[in-house]
Amino acid sequence: MTLIQTQDACFLIDCGILFPYEDFFDIDYLITDLSFLDNYPVTDIIFTHGHEDHIGAVAHLLRKLPDLKVHATQFASSLIRNRLKEQNVYCKITTSKAGFDIKIGKTVITPIHVTHSIPETTALVISNKDNDFSALFMSDFKYDRSPEVERPFDIENMKRLMNQSKLKIAMLDSTNILYPSKTTSESELIEDIHKVVAEAKGRLFVTLFSSNIFRMDTFIKAARAAKRPFATLGRSVNSYMKIARECGLLQYKESELNEAEDIIDREDCLIFVSGCQGDYRSAMRRLAYGEHGVTTLKNGDTVIFSSKVIPGNEDKVFRIYNKITEAGAEIITARDRHIHASGHASQEDLKNLVSEIQPDIYIPIHGETFFLKRHQDFIEDNFKDIRVFKSNNFKEINIYPDGEVKTKQHDILPPVIIHGDHIEIERNKISERRKMGCNGAVFISCAKDKVNLTMQGIPEIGLTEQPHIIKLVKQRLNKTRKGETEDDIKVEVRRYLKSILGYKPQTFVHIH
Ligand SMILES: [Zn+2]
C-alpha cells in the first residue's frame, strides 16, 4: 500500500496482503497496520491490478474507511467484489480504464496499460493541471512489446504524459532486479505450449497461477488445436476462469468447459489444476498424494507445471514432484520446455524503459529490502544523471517543485496477523500457540479429591504416566497452602514430564 499526497489530493494505491513469511502457525495472511491512516485525509484508493498482494486487504481497509472511493479496472473490480462478498463488506467501485483520467481536486491520475501476468494491469501517471510534475507509479509490470496474448506495453502514452512536465519522477517495481537479462515474452511460450499439449499421449494436467489468464488462454487454444476437451479441478482456477470469461478476457463457449468428473477418465482430457505451489489444501497436492476423490494419477499421465516455484515453497513442490513420479506420471516444468515466463521486468528491461522515460528522480518500490537496495545500485550505476532515493516501509518521501527531496522515516509498524474469519490475532497469542503447538498441553482440573487430567499432543510414553501424575497432584493438594497450590502443581508436573520427555509441555491447573 502506498499513500500519495499532492497539494490538493490524498489517496492510496493498492492494498494487498502478505503471505506468512515465518511460521505463524497456520495463520491466513498479514496486512498493513492501518492505524497510520488516522493522520491522513485519504479520500480515494486506486488499484493497479487484481493480484492478491495488491487487493487482498481491501475489506479490512473499507471497514476502517467506509466512505473511501474505490477505483479499479474491470477485472480487478470483479476480483475485489469477490473478496468483499466473502467478508460481507459492500461498496461501490468506479471502473477505471487505461487512458481515462481519474481526477481528485486538481490532481490527475492517468492509468496506462502495462503488460503483466494478470489482465488489465495499469501503471499510474500522477500530475497536476499545471504540469508541475509527472510521477509514474508502476508496481508489477513486465516490459513486453509483443506479448501477442494481450496488448503491448503502452510506452508511447507513458512517454507523452511524462514529457509534459518539468519534473519527472519514477517509482518502479523491484521484483526481478536480480535477473540480468530480458524477461521472456509471453508470446515466446505459445509454440512450446502447443507442442507439449499436442505431443502428450495420455491425460494432461496443467497447473499454473490461477490468475494468469493469458497462460490459460494459450492452453485453451492448444487444447482446442489438439482436440482435447478441458475442465478445471480446484476452486481457484475455476473461479478465475469464470470471472475472466464474464469480463470478456477469456473466450470459450460455456459448453466447452466440462465438469472434471465427466471427462477425467478420457485419455485425451486436459485438466487445469489449482495449486502450483503445492499448497496444503490445494487440488494439485491432493491429486499428487492420491487423496483427490475425482481421480488418481497413473502411468501415462503428464503433469505440466506452467509456473515457477516461489522461493520458500521448494520443499512443498518437490514433495509433490516425488508423489507424481511415484504414481508413474510424467512431469514437465519450465526447466524442460518454454512453458513459463515471469510477469516482472528484469535488469535489461528496466534499463531500456528508464532510457525511454528519462526521469529526474527515481524511487525503487515493491520488493524485499535487499531487492530495493540492488535496484537503487543498478539505477545509480547505469544512469549517472538520475537521483535515486531509497524507499522502505513507513518512509515518507517529500518532493518539492524545485526538485528538492526530503525524507522522513516514521515508526515501522509490524504487519497485522489475520486468521480465521478475517480476524486479527495479536502477536503474543501466536507465541502461546507456538508453545502449545511445539510441546503439547496438559490440563489438570481438581475438585475435592477428584483430579481430571487431559493431555493434548503428548506422546504415548507421556500418556502412560497419567496415573503417576494424578498421584503427584493429589499429594501436592494435601500438602500445600491454599493460594499457592495451582502454581506448585504446575511446576511439579512440568518438571516430572521433563524427566520423561525431555521438555516441558504447557500445563494448565484449575482448582475448583
Ligand atoms: Zn502483480
Side-chain angles (χ1 to χ4, degrees):
M1 174 191 276
T2 307
L3 185 134
I4 306 271
Q5 208 163 8
T6 64
Q7 273 162 339
D8 62 351
C10 182
F11 60 95
L12 296 167
I13 303 176
D14 293 342
C15 180
I17 54 171
L18 186 63
F19 294 105
Y21 48 83
E22 57 180 86
D23 196 355
F24 286 107
F25 279 80
D26 208 26
I27 61 145
D28 296 321
Y29 55 88
L30 300 148
I31 63 167
T32 307
D33 187 329
L34 300 170
S35 62
F36 83 99
L37 291 173
D38 295 342
N39 306 319
Y40 299 92
V42 183
T43 58
D44 295 61
I45 179 160
I46 303 167
F47 289 97
T48 57
H49 65 294
H51 273 150
E52 280 290 290
D53 58 334
H54 292 257
I55 66 164
V58 59
H60 296 271
L61 178 71
L62 286 174
R63 257 188 234 118
K64 184 175 173 66
L65 301 173
D67 296 329
L68 211 58
K69 287 189 205 102
V70 180
H71 310 262
T73 52
Q74 191 198 9
F75 188 52
S77 300
S78 301
L79 298 172
I80 290 169
R81 263 187 218 108
N82 253 14
R83 265 263 146 186
L84 293 174
K85 213 163 109 192
E86 277 170 26
Q87 300 190 37
N88 293 319
V89 177
Y90 295 91
C91 89
K92 193 170 154 288
I93 303 174
T94 308
T95 306
S96 61
K97 211 174 168 195
F100 290 85
D101 293 345
I102 298 165
K103 292 186 180 121
I104 307 172
K106 284 184 186 153
T107 303
V108 182
I109 302 125
T110 315
I112 306 269
H113 170 73
V114 295
T115 41
H116 186 37
S117 47
I118 188 169
E120 297 181 352
T121 301
T122 53
L124 303 173
V125 177
I126 304 152
S127 58
N128 65 3
K129 285 185 179 143
D130 302 325
N131 288 322
D132 296 325
F133 68 90
S134 287
L136 171 66
F137 182 96
M138 185 158 39
S139 58
D140 302 3
F141 73 96
K142 75 193 271 187
Y143 190 35
D144 200 339
R145 301 288 286 130
S146 56
E148 285 188 41
V149 291
E150 67 167 325
R151 264 198 307 137
F153 187 106
D154 189 0
I155 185 68
E156 285 73 27
N157 259 321
M158 189 175 283
K159 269 167 70 177
R160 184 180 57 77
L161 285 168
M162 290 299 280
N163 286 335
Q164 282 172 355
S165 298
K166 299 179 259 308
L167 182 64
K168 294 195 275 184
I169 305 155
M171 295 166 264
L172 267 60
D173 177 21
S174 309
T175 307
N176 270 10
I177 193 64
L178 304 185
Y179 297 94
S181 58
K182 271 179 75 61
T183 299
T184 308
S185 165
E186 195 66 28
S187 58
E188 288 172 56
L189 311 180
I190 297 172
E191 194 185 326
D192 254 19
I193 288 178
H194 274 257
K195 272 192 193 156
V196 166
V197 171
E199 285 163 8
K201 295 279 178 284
R203 302 187 299 173
L204 204 47
F205 296 88
V206 178
T207 184
L208 36 56
F209 294 106
S210 305
S211 57
N212 199 332
I213 304 304
F214 307 123
R215 193 71 50 75
M216 256 179 212
D217 187 42
T218 305
F219 271 101
I220 288 177
K221 285 175 180 150
R224 256 185 224 128
K227 301 206 164 32
R228 283 177 175 271
F230 60 89
T232 60
L233 210 55
R235 211 169 59 125
S236 176
V237 273
N238 190 53
S239 141
Y240 274 100
M241 195 179 262
K242 285 189 171 152
I243 293 174
R245 183 173 182 266
E246 280 162 22
C247 292
L249 296 163
L250 204 52
Q251 269 77 39
Y252 61 88
K253 287 194 212 90
E254 215 166 332
S255 58
E256 267 187 297
L257 180 61
N258 299 277
E259 291 296 331
E261 289 83 349
D262 296 342
I263 61 164
I264 205 132
D265 293 328
R266 288 177 56 168
E267 287 300 306
D268 60 352
C269 70
L270 184 151
I271 313 287
F272 291 100
V273 190
S274 301
C276 64
Q277 298 303 307
D279 293 340
Y280 190 66
R281 296 176 202 88
S282 70
M284 189 61 244
R285 189 183 183 279
R286 286 187 288 144
L287 185 65
Y289 278 68
E291 292 164 2
H292 204 298
V294 173
T295 189
T296 42
L297 291 173
K298 60 177 171 60
N299 222 329
D301 291 341
T302 304
V303 184
I304 296 181
F305 284 77
S306 178
S307 54
K308 70 160 190 175
V309 184
I310 293 175
N313 291 342
E314 292 86 350
D315 281 1
K316 277 192 287 182
V317 175
F318 277 102
R319 233 170 271 152
I320 284 185
Y321 289 173
N322 285 339
K323 288 288 176 191
I324 295 169
T325 311
E326 282 168 24
E330 283 290 323
I331 297 172
I332 300 176
T333 72
R335 285 176 196 274
D336 308 312
R337 307 290 288 264
H338 285 112
I339 52 170
H340 178 68
S342 163
H344 298 269
S346 306
Q347 287 181 8
E348 203 55 36
D349 305 305
L350 280 173
K351 213 197 271 182
N352 291 335
L353 190 61
V354 175
S355 308
E356 295 272 5
I357 302 165
Q358 296 183 324
D360 306 298
I361 292 173
Y362 195 100
I363 305 167
I365 56 166
H366 207 275
E368 313 288 337
T369 315
F370 164 54
F371 294 4
L372 296 172
K373 173 70 170 74
R374 278 290 176 90
H375 194 168
Q376 177 182 15
D377 294 346
F378 176 74
I379 298 298
E380 281 173 348
D381 290 348
N382 287 284
F383 300 92
K384 302 289 177 211
D385 300 335
I386 299 178
R387 293 152 64 213
V388 188
F389 294 87
K390 237 202 325 237
S391 71
N392 53 266
N393 287 337
F394 296 97
K395 187 167 184 178
E396 179 179 324
I397 301 176
N398 293 289
I399 304 170
Y400 297 88
D402 60 358
E404 192 193 349
V405 177
K406 284 184 189 165
T407 63
K408 181 183 167 191
Q409 180 64 56
H410 294 258
D411 291 343
I412 297 176
L413 306 174
V416 172
I417 306 167
I418 306 293
H419 186 211
D421 210 0
H422 309 286
I423 287 167
E424 176 179 345
I425 170 162
E426 298 79 11
R427 275 193 156 58
N428 59 344
K429 303 291 194 299
I430 298 286
S431 132
E432 286 177 7
R433 286 182 177 191
R434 179 168 287 121
K435 285 180 193 153
M436 283 197 271
C438 292
N439 296 333
V442 175
F443 302 90
I444 299 165
S445 163
C446 319
K448 290 192 182 142
D449 232 15
K450 204 169 170 329
V451 175
N452 275 323
L453 180 63
T454 308
M455 288 178 154
Q456 287 282 303
I458 306 290
E460 285 300 327
I461 190 167
L463 297 185
T464 58
E465 294 293 329
Q466 289 196 34
H468 186 74
I469 292 170
I470 290 173
K471 208 167 107 193
L472 276 183
V473 174
K474 282 185 176 168
Q475 279 171 0
R476 184 53 80 173
L477 275 173
N478 296 332
K479 244 196 281 175
T480 326
R481 277 177 294 142
K482 214 175 180 313
E484 292 171 5
T485 320
E486 286 182 356
D487 272 353
D488 291 339
I489 291 173
K490 183 168 144 181
V491 169
E492 185 145 353
V493 170
R494 275 163 62 87
R495 194 181 295 144
Y496 181 70
L497 279 167
K498 181 162 192 241
S499 74
I500 308 288
L501 304 171
Y503 54 83
K504 295 174 179 172
Q506 285 298 90
T507 303
F508 304 89
V509 181
H510 199 75
I511 300 176
H512 298 282

